[in-house]
Every structure is written in C-alpha cells, then in structure tokens.
Amino acid sequence: MRLASLAVVALCVAGVALAAPQLAFEESPLSAPFGDDGEGTDYGPVEGSYFRAASYDRYTGTGWERTASAGSTDDLEPPPGAAETVRVSYEVQNPVRTLPAPWRPTGYDGPAASAAGGSLEPDRPLQPGERFTVTSRRPVWSEADLRTAGRDYPEGIEQRYTQLPDGTPEELESTAAEVTADADTPYETAVAVNRWLRTEKNYSLTVDRPDDAVATAFATEMDAGYCQYFATTMAAMLRAEGVPARYVTGYTPYEQVGAGEHVVRGKYAHTWVEAYFPGVGWVPFDPTPPAERQDARGLATVEDGEGETDDGGEQAAFRSVVPELALQEGGWRQLDADIEVDGTVAPGETVTVRVRADDGSPVEGAQVRFNGRPVGATDAAGEVDAAVPYDEELRITAHVYEGDGEPPPVAADGGSAGGSSPANSRSLQDLRYAAPETEISGSLTGLSDAVLFRATVEEGAVLRRGSPADEVEAPDPDGGTGEDAGTDRTTGSAGDRAAVRTVPEAVADLSGFERVRLQPAGSERTFDLETTVDVAVEPSDGSHPRDPLEVTATLDGRPVPDATVTAGDESATTDAEGRATIPTPYERPATVVVERGAARGEASVPVQGTLDVTVADDWAAGGPLSVRARVDGRPVPGATVTNGVESVTTDAAGVTTVPAPYRSPGEVTVERGNFSRTVERSVTTGEPSVAVADPVPGREVLVRGAVGDEPIRNAVVAVDGRPVGDTDRFGRGRITLPYNDSVTVAVSRGDVRAERRLDLPTAVHVRTDGRAVPGSSVDVRATTVDGEPVENATVYTDGEALARTDADGRTTVDVPLAAATFDLRVQRGDAAGETRAGHVWVYWVGLLGVLAVVGLAARRRGYLERLPRNPTGLLALLVGALGRLVDGVLADVERTLAVRDAGIGGTTRDADDPTDPAFLVEPAPDNDVYRAWVALAAGLDGTQRTPAAVADRAVEAGLPEEAVAELTDLFREVRYGDADPTEERERRAEAALSRIREATR
C-alpha cells in the first residue's frame, strides 16, 4: 500500500514537471506584480558610475535632441540631496571631442570647455596626451529614499522631461500602463519597466530600424535591439507614466587595468536612462541586458577566466580584462630597421611604408605604427599601405611580437584616412563627439577597439556593489616581470580593485627575424605635417539664421573628408570631397570651424536679420504670455524665453508661453545665440489671495497663493515673517503651523504679496490612564481638537514641569504622596489643556477610616489580644485590611459619582476658558449629533461645562473612552467647526451613544 502511494506521488510530480514549460509559456504576463520575484535590486538603479558623456531631453521619435544651452563650467551644481565625492583624471589616447565624467560633475580642470545640462564638452578637439580632471558629486540614496520620493517635481523638470512627440501612437501608453499596473510609486514604475525590458527583449546588433516611433515599435513589435533601443524605450515609457526621464550616452567602465585605473575604448560606448526623484535628483537605470551586450560586443568582463588557476588560465583572464593594451606594451619590441616611405606625406594621403633589414632584405610580418597606433603588418615585400593621420607630425615605427602564443589582432582605429578624426557621432558608432543630436541607427557596426581615454580614480570609487569588475584584481603597474611579479596584488580605491595577475614576459623564438638586429629602442622616421585647413563658405557675403551654408575644407588643395564642421550649436561632417552643409547659426558673425585631429581651420560669415519678439500688451502677474520670436519674419525655434525666473523654449514655429512677471514693470527676454531682445511692459497685480487648508497647529497644511485665477508660482511662503517654504508651479506649498493662537501666512513674489491671518484652535485635549494612587504613576496623552498628537509639550502640576510628550503626544508622570488633588496642565506655545487626574485625598481618608474601624472592632471583640506580637505579622495584617478597604472605597466612589443615565464624572473647567467653549444644556436643534451630546450631558446640574470637561468626567466614571471621544469630536465639528450634521455623522453619534448607554446598565 505504501509503495503504491509513493508511486502515485511520483507520477504526479513527473506530470507537473512535464507540464511546467507549457504552463510557463501560456502564463506570460506583460507585467509581473512588483517585487514578487525578490530580485528588485537586479532591475533597480545602477549602483556606481558610468563615464557619462551627454544627456538628451527632447525625444523626436527617431532620435534625441539636447535643447539646453551651453554655459560655463563654473556654473556646475551639486545634486539636491546627499552625495559622495568622486574625482577622476583622464589622459586622452586618441583625438576626441567629449569629456566623460561620473554623474554629477561639479568641478572641472583641463582644456577650455563648456557645460550643458550637467554634461561637459570641450571647446575644441582634444589630442593624445592631453589631460583633464573632473570632480563629481554622486547622489547617495537608499531604496527607501527612492520609494518615498513622491511626485512633487520641480516645474521645469516635469515639463521638459515628460515630453513625447505629437502623434506618439497610443500603443506606447497602453503598453507602459500594462507593464506598470502593479507599481504604486515612480520608483516602482522605473523598476517595473527596467525589469520588463531586460526580461522580455533580446540584445542584437543587427536591427532594421523602424521609420518612426522607435520606442513604440520596440515595445510592441520588435524582439531585439541594442542599447539605443532599450534606453529610448524605457525613457519614453516612463514619460508616458508621468515620470521624468532622459536619454544618456557615455561609456561603461568595463576594462580595469590597475588600482582605480580604467581603459575606455570606443566599443564601450553605451546608452542608458536617468529618472528624476525629488530630493535625490537624477538616478541612472540601465535597461540593456548586460550579459548579452558583453557577449555581442566582445566586451571585457570579470567572469571570463574566473576559477582558473594555472598559468594559461591567468593569462586568459588577463587578456579578457585587458585585451591587447598591456600586451602591446609588454609583448612587443620596437625594431631597429630601415624605414622608407613612398608617396606624399600629408594628412589624409595614403603612403607605402617599406621596412628593411640592415642587408636590405624585406621584413615580413612587422607591425607598423603611425604615432604609436598600429596601421598594419608588412607583407612579403616588407611593405604596408596606410593613411597619414591628421596630426602635427608623423612618427613611423616598426615592431615585432615577443609575447607568449599568437600576437593579438591589430586594433582597428575606428576612423578613416588615418583614423584620428573625432567623428561627429549622431549614432553610437564611436561616440567620440557629444553631438547636440543623436539618431537611432539600424544595425550597429564598426565598433572600435581604439583606446580613447585612460581614467584614474583619484578619490572615491567608480565601481560599487554589482559592478563588472568587483571580483577582479589588476596587474601591478610598478611590478616587475617574472614569476614573483605574477603573484603581486595591488590595492586602490574601494570598489575599483581588480584581480588579475600580471602576465610574465617571455622571449619568443625570433628565428623569423634573425636578420634584424634587436635593440631596446629601434629606429623611426619622423615628418612634420601641415595642419592648417582652408575653409571656404558659400554664400560668403552673409545669410539669415538657419539658411544653409555650403562648407568646403581643403588642406594644401586636397579635400579633408570626415572632418567635424561646427557653427554655433550646429554641426555636420564633411564627405569624401571635403564638403558639408550646415545651417547658419544664430551668431553675428558666424564662425565656421573645421577640425580633424590636429588639423583645423575656420572662416567668418556675416549673419543678417533682426530678432523680432511679439508679446501681448496686457500683462497680468502670473498670467500666460504667448511669445513669438522671428528673424525677418522667419520663426526662431529653440530660443530661450525667460521672465527672470521661469525659462521655456520656443517650438518649431518660434512660439511658446511663459508666465508674466510678478513685478511692474516686467521684462521678458528672448535669446538664441547672440540674438537677443527684451520686451518691457507694465504688469497688473490684481487681487492676491492665500488659502490654507484645515489650519491646525503642529500639522503640515497645504497653502495656495493666487492672483485672481492665476497661481503665484515659485513664491516664498512665510509664517509670521519667517520664510518656511516655496510654492510650486501651481502656487502650492506645504508648511507646518506653529502652536500659536494666531499666525500670519504670506505668499510673496516680486510686487505680489498675499497674506492671511489665521486664528488657530489651541485647545489641547488631555486624557489620563491609571488611578492617581499616591506614589504611583499615570499615563498622559495630549491631542489637538482634531485628534492629532501634541509632540514635545510640557506637562505641569502646580506650576512644576514634570515631563514632555513624545511623538505620539504621550508621557508618564508620577503621582505625589502629599496632595489633595492631582491636576495636570499640558502646554506647548499658546496651545494648552488641563485635566484632573484624580483625588489623592480620597486614599488618605480611606486609610484613616480603615485604621479607625479596625481599631474599634478589635477593641470591642478583644481582637487586640489576637494581634501578632511580632512587627512583620502585624504589618501583613494591616496591609491586607487596607487593600480590601481601598478596593471597596474605590468601587463605592465610582458608583456614587456615576450618573444613572449618562454616567458623568470628574472635574469641570472654568466656563470662561477660551481654549474650549463652554456648553450650556439647552433644547437640542433638529439633528441627532446634538441630541446625542445632550443625552450624554443630561446628568449635569445646569451649570455650563466645556466639552472637554464633560468627556473627562465620563471617562473617569468608567464609560468607554473611544465612544466618548468620538461623540465629543462629532459634537465639536458640528457646533464649533461649522460642519454639517450629515447622515453619516448622525449615524456615528447614535452608535457612540448606544455604546455609552450599554456600559451603564
């Protein structure tokens, strides 16, 4: 029987196992409930720093644009919340025009540069050997910080970073809504989208780019893409859910070669997403599946070679983390050979390099380098063809490989004609130039192994928990060669330590080059190169902004292809004929600059036209002003319009809306480039007003300032003249009111000031728990009229401070031994309340009575002779008798004080006490709330009693405290708070009275 049962169980288990794949296939929800997988951190923010190049705020459907204007690096600001310092120094290895930095850069030291949207960009291309240092303040956050950050976004953030193009298909919003259906906060929304993209989409470099609406197509139609598709889709989906997000480009710190030292290659170019959280700032999320990306691009990862301990394994691990860089430095030797050059030695020209031994015989298989960069290997004739770079000089050397095994492949340089041009990358091909626009490409090809930067972490850490190089050690840059060096370990910045042993240098058999005499340093050929580019621009006599300029770049009469052409914030790239078309910038005059490597030239072109600004004549403070910007009748898109505080950008038609200034006369300024115009008008301030919702001391309340129907935006909120907050774009702010009997709340900006004086309810309801037995203690709780606890209030008795209340308005006080009554007063500021905790004298009278009765009874009945003769026994007898008497007296007092119908007891307050208006029993009006209260108070003798006093006496008499409190609050709301006696309030009052009456039976 038992065997049969086991067999049945086994069959069931097997059936479930076989069915599992099918069940999983059929049960494939678009959005799993948030947090149900226990892996929220796997899809959460990036815990560390990428080398960030640029961010983009405007999504076009096919790419991204950066609308922020460039400013000084002195204006870099830290994040709004807590942050830690990270300082990184960079050495340029190939010509670039970008300045990567950990987010968020706050300081810069290096060649001239500007800042836009928190990103850095050099004013000219950087050349190999140049250095710069960036100091960043990386936001410090916890998951709890992000979960509770809320949605109180600054106006400029929400408006700019939730934008989606007109005509965005509805499928994007519906998909985003379905993916985030279980998310309650912006943080959960971001994690849900991140998880969905990583788990539902595949990574591939081969993609057919859709014609439009890339994010929608990737979310609803495509199965695979690379980082541009993942980042664009996540940013767009977050925007569809109202979460500010932006698209970011830069490099991942995959390749660590020393303690805190990283190599940045072209193929490490990457895109990700930053989401905004109030109080924290921009936080990075990476929706691209990391393992698939590493495999597809051949990126260095620490997992490669893990667990291998033999020499071959260590070399393999080293090569996976440091592909060819260290080997080219340690495994190659420069040859002392004769080097000849055939052809015109000029930038962009292809020349033939011939390497020969001393006897004139050709050297086959030698690696030829131009300015240290490999360009190819010589053939059987000892020759190789290569393009001359756009550098100031050409230094030609030849090298032979002496390392173990086969030599690594020659690193492709990623450029054309010498490979030294910083490409104007509108896609992710190399990202050597942080262009103001970026386009989403089709298939991703031509990713370069060329080293762009060497980055050294001088302070802080780039990598953190979960980063690629967590478990890897780096070679000791100062260590020697040989077996001992292979076991050295290095230390460095926390989080930036790698774990790969250095590869011992081995001298290979150079029989193939025995005709070449090897020396530590071999021969080389050096040529000076012309770097002055001639720039011709048509029309040369001037044009209007945005009119096309035809640019031709030549060097000694030869075209300069693949050069970067810039004019203002516009850019383009020359074709094979050295030509490019670029819009005329909003500069006067316009300077057109052509750059490729060290080659540079420029030309100046007159720019015609006058900036005209049209604004309505009637300006009401805070009201919307429609602004139109034109140059000689042509619209000016992308112009910055400001009223001195708020800034907006004109659309394609040169139109935007900005709030009118709050000062008269007011100014509105329109700027683009060095075209600028300021319009001044008188401003009407209207009738300012301020509203405060439910003003109660100690509670956070909502304040709204307005001028007529328009909110007072970005204004200062003050209480009794002290600034305590600011309003948002809706004129709203949140403040905490002090414990005063009256305050003045003001909202002001410019010439507009609205204020309101508030009379605050300062009655404090004081309740006690426990009997006031001499030498014992009682619990005290203080609340406002609406039941909010009064924190940090002082509890007094007979003018002596006893204790302070905690965050729940509670504390414990000791009952004095010698006192007739125990009266308590609780006060904070102008808010105060009193109660009588009990009659201490009752216990002393009872004690004396007990002693008298016991004495008389003992005398009459001769019990005195029976009393114990020893002190201990006598004391036990007296304590027992006293206890029984006290219990009886207490019960008798409670029955005496209790009123048959209402059960009222306790003390009363002064009828003139202004903190809680007195109540006189009178005929009840026609509502059940009032009638229920009269029924409770009917046992009074006709004198006036405050609601607090009635409630205290009822509770002291043993009536249910919660029912008394609810009826008291309902009565206060209706009688003193102007609340309507709704059916709900009447029902609650009758129920409370029923519970009170039940307790008296």
Side-chain angles (χ1 to χ4, degrees), residues 137-294:
R137 294 284 290 164
R138 179 168 57 203
V140 174
W141 43 262
S142 66
E143 185 175 342
D145 294 332
L146 304 186
R147 284 184 181 276
T148 59
R151 295 181 179 268
D152 190 13
Y153 304 115
E155 179 180 4
I157 294 292
E158 187 171 13
Q159 180 179 7
R160 173 177 291 183
Y161 294 101
T162 56
Q163 165 269 341
L164 289 172
D166 293 339
T168 297
E170 296 181 358
E171 289 84 354
L172 180 68
E173 293 186 3
S174 61
T175 301
E178 190 172 355
V179 168
T180 62
D182 296 306
D184 297 325
T185 66
Y187 172 72
E188 293 180 356
T189 298
V191 172
V193 174
N194 206 23
R195 179 202 293 117
W196 182 76
L197 286 169
R198 281 199 180 186
T199 56
E200 296 296 326
K201 300 295 179 180
N202 297 315
Y203 186 88
S204 174
L205 298 177
T206 304
V207 179
D208 292 330
R209 186 182 71 84
D211 295 333
D212 199 1
V214 171
T216 305
F218 189 69
T220 61
E221 301 173 8
M222 301 171 62
D223 295 325
Y226 48 90
C227 57
Q228 283 187 302
Y229 291 87
F230 283 91
T232 294
T233 304
M234 180 173 182
M237 290 176 70
L238 291 183
R239 291 184 173 201
E241 289 297 304
V243 178
R246 63 188 181 189
Y247 176 91
V248 183
T249 62
Y251 305 91
T252 45
Y254 276 119
E255 188 171 329
Q256 187 172 340
V257 296
E261 296 184 2
H262 298 261
V263 166
V264 181
R265 299 178 184 272
K267 70 178 181 181
Y268 298 159
H270 190 40
T271 63
W272 60 93
V273 175
E274 289 175 347
Y276 189 87
F277 295 89
V280 176
W282 293 102
V283 175
F285 287 79
D286 192 348
T288 305
E292 291 84 345
R293 175 173 176 260
Q294 293 161 8

Side-chain angles (χ1 to χ4, degrees), residues 556-901:
D556 284 345
R558 294 180 294 274
V560 181
D562 197 29
T564 299
V565 182
T566 57
D569 56 1
E570 305 289 351
S571 62
T573 304
T574 56
D575 59 17
E577 302 299 324
R579 297 193 180 105
T581 301
I582 190 170
T584 303
Y586 287 86
E587 292 183 352
R588 189 175 311 198
T591 300
V592 179
V593 178
V594 177
E595 296 170 305
R596 180 166 183 185
R600 186 181 189 277
E602 63 180 49
S604 183
V605 180
V607 178
Q608 304 168 352
T610 302
L611 177 62
D612 299 315
V613 177
T614 304
V615 189
D617 292 331
D618 296 330
W619 290 16
L625 294 179
S626 179
V627 180
R628 179 185 296 273
R630 291 173 290 188
V631 171
D632 292 353
R634 306 179 183 190
V636 182
T640 300
V641 181
T642 179
N643 60 11
V645 176
E646 291 90 0
S647 295
V648 293
T649 304
T650 56
D651 59 17
V655 177
T656 191
T657 301
V658 66
Y662 292 84
R663 188 183 302 277
S664 187
E667 294 182 348
V668 170
T669 301
V670 180
E671 293 181 310
R672 179 158 186 191
N674 54 16
F675 281 72
S676 178
R677 176 88 181 272
T678 298
V679 178
E680 182 177 296
R681 297 277 194 281
S682 61
V683 179
T684 58
T685 56
E687 292 295 331
S689 62
V690 58
V692 182
D694 299 327
V696 174
R699 189 173 69 183
E700 186 180 67
V701 298
L702 181 66
V703 177
R704 186 178 187 275
V707 182
D709 295 331
E710 295 298 330
I712 307 178
R713 304 173 178 86
N714 301 318
V716 176
V717 182
V719 175
D720 290 337
R722 182 173 61 90
V724 294
D726 302 291
T727 60
D728 58 16
R729 65 185 178 123
F730 301 108
R732 303 172 306 188
R734 291 191 175 275
I735 63 173
T736 300
L737 295 175
Y739 287 88
N740 296 345
D741 53 10
S742 65
V743 295
T744 299
V745 178
V747 178
S748 59
R749 176 177 170 185
D751 296 336
V752 175
R753 178 181 174 84
E755 66 178 33
R756 181 177 180 181
R757 185 173 181 80
L758 303 173
D759 292 327
L760 303 181
T762 55
V764 175
H765 189 196
V766 184
R767 298 177 184 175
T768 60
D769 185 16
R771 291 192 173 95
V773 178
S776 67
S777 61
V778 295
D779 295 330
V780 181
R781 185 167 191 259
T783 57
T784 59
V785 293
D786 63 346
E788 291 293 322
V790 181
E791 181 182 4
N792 202 31
T794 304
V795 181
Y796 298 90
T797 183
D798 293 332
E800 178 185 358
L802 301 180
R804 286 185 179 273
T805 57
D806 59 16
D808 294 326
R810 298 180 183 274
T811 190
T812 301
V813 297
D814 295 330
V815 180
L817 290 173
T821 59
F822 189 37
D823 295 331
L824 297 176
R825 177 179 178 82
V826 179
Q827 185 167 359
R828 179 174 178 184
D830 295 332
E834 298 178 352
T835 190
R836 175 160 291 174
H839 300 269
V840 181
W841 61 268
V842 171
Y843 298 95
W844 291 115
V845 171
L847 176 61
L848 293 175
V850 168
L851 293 177
V853 171
V854 170
L856 290 174
R859 183 176 181 181
R860 289 181 180 179
R861 301 189 181 187
Y863 288 163
L864 292 176
E865 291 79 3
R866 303 179 188 176
L867 292 177
R869 300 299 181 182
N870 60 77
T872 303
L874 180 61
L875 179 60
L877 179 63
L878 290 176
V879 170
L882 179 60
R884 289 190 295 271
L885 178 61
V886 168
D887 288 341
V889 170
L890 288 177
D892 195 38
V893 169
E894 289 182 0
R895 286 192 298 272
T896 302
L897 294 178
V899 178
R900 175 185 169 191
D901 293 331

Side-chain angles (χ1 to χ4, degrees), residues 117-128:
S119 301
L120 301 169
E121 184 173 351
D123 294 345
R124 59 169 178 79
L126 303 181
Q127 301 303 318

